Amino acid sequence: MRPTEDGYRHKGLRKKLVDIIAAKGITDENVLAAIGRVPRHFFLDSAFDELAYDDRAFPIGEGQTISQPYTVAYQSQLLALKPLMKVLEIGTGSAYQAVILAELGAKVFTIERQKALFDSNKQFALLRKYPAIKFFYGDGYQGLPTYGPFDRVIITAAAPDIPQKLLQQLRPGGMMVIPVGEGEVQQMRRLTKKEDGSYTEERFADFSFVPMLSGTNK
Ligand code: SAH
């Protein structure tokens, strides 16, 4: 069962979580404020009621996880969002990252390949507050060519290399934030598409994501 109550204790724990993430180096005030507003315990079973505010990833079923809040904040900060930007997210999972992006003013298009996780989000009452998020069931490697081009692309699973189709769906001047690597650890990268269609690449810290897989899972 999902919790539905956001009490003063949750709010207090959330404030502490924001302090922890800030101490780890997140400086974007908008990102910190968004983490402070969103009730992360709503995205987990009620068994995680208080644990939800630990800076840790947790299982959400189907062998998948809700990303660590620090990781969500890190990717969100690298995206350097402006309100009303069109963002493509690969790996909806719990929808926590998608909600943080919507809180930052983005129009979010998010794809999940696990049918059970996609279906579970249809029953998730909190998401009705976010008409700016559009949910898709499919293989993120294909992107959403008919909805693009996008200002930003964020991949929330470990990609063995840069998915070319997703780069193509990026607007000139747009950015992709993606953890790249085949082993246990991946390196966060940010690609910026130039007006002439070429890319610059920046490399950041190491993280550990579940793998980005091709095809869908019913
Ligand atoms: N953004 C999520 C993180 C979930 S973990 C959150 O905030 O909770 C990564 C998710 O990516 C998993 O749910 C996994 O099923 C999904 N995934 C992996 N490969 C994918 C692909 N090719 N297309 C769409 N989703 C994918």
Side-chain angles (χ1 to χ4, degrees):
M1 279 283 287
R2 284 185 194 274
T4 49
E5 206 190 293
D6 189 27
Y8 72 92
R9 173 137 183 84
H10 298 115
K11 294 191 172 84
L13 290 168
R14 208 141 67 225
K15 229 171 161 219
K16 279 194 196 139
L17 175 61
V18 169
D19 292 344
I20 286 167
I21 290 172
K24 288 183 180 173
I26 302 299
T27 52
D28 186 322
E29 291 296 337
N30 293 328
V31 170
L32 292 171
I35 300 275
R37 281 196 301 272
V38 177
R40 189 174 187 244
H41 64 292
F42 282 21
F43 295 76
L44 291 160
D45 187 88
S46 53
F48 295 91
D49 195 56
E50 295 204 354
L51 275 178
Y53 294 101
D54 283 3
D55 189 23
R56 281 166 55 188
F58 289 107
I60 54 170
E62 311 305 313
Q64 305 306 319
T65 56
I66 179 172
S67 299
Q68 186 181 343
Y70 171 70
T71 306
V72 171
Y74 194 98
Q75 287 195 285
S76 303
Q77 176 167 290
L78 281 182
L79 282 175
L81 288 174
K82 297 190 188 79
L84 300 181
M85 277 187 164
K86 275 170 71 176
V87 181
L88 174 64
E89 181 196 24
I90 310 305
T92 315
S94 69
Y96 180 70
Q97 172 77 74
V99 163
I100 295 293
L101 298 174
E103 285 281 342
L104 292 168
K107 291 187 278 180
V108 184
F109 299 76
T110 183
I111 313 178
E112 174 56 54
R113 67 179 291 283
Q114 294 272 0
K115 188 71 163 49
L117 295 179
F118 173 78
D119 285 342
S120 143
N121 283 330
K122 287 195 224 167
Q123 317 296 325
F124 184 6
L126 179 77
L127 298 181
R128 289 182 203 126
K129 277 178 48 189
Y130 295 95
I133 310 175
K134 308 283 181 243
F135 295 87
F136 298 84
Y137 166 61
D139 176 6
Y141 273 106
Q142 305 306 318
L144 291 170
T146 53
Y147 293 85
F150 298 96
D151 299 292
R152 299 288 187 264
V153 175
I154 171 175
I155 320 279
T156 68
D161 40 41
I162 312 282
Q164 292 303 313
K165 281 190 183 163
L166 300 184
L167 269 182
Q168 285 162 12
Q169 292 171 34
L170 207 52
R171 195 189 293 289
M175 291 175 179
M176 173 187 288
V177 173
I178 177 171
V180 183
E182 293 196 77
E184 292 282 293
V185 210
Q186 302 87 41
Q187 186 182 45
M188 197 63 75
R189 299 197 191 171
R190 180 166 67 184
L191 282 79
T192 304
K193 191 175 192 170
K194 294 198 273 186
E195 295 297 326
D196 67 3
S198 64
Y199 302 91
T200 54
E201 190 185 275
E202 300 162 279
R203 299 182 171 205
F204 299 94
D206 284 345
F207 290 86
S208 192
F209 284 81
V210 296
M212 182 170 177
L213 304 171
S214 30
T216 53
N217 200 340
K218 286 219 168 79

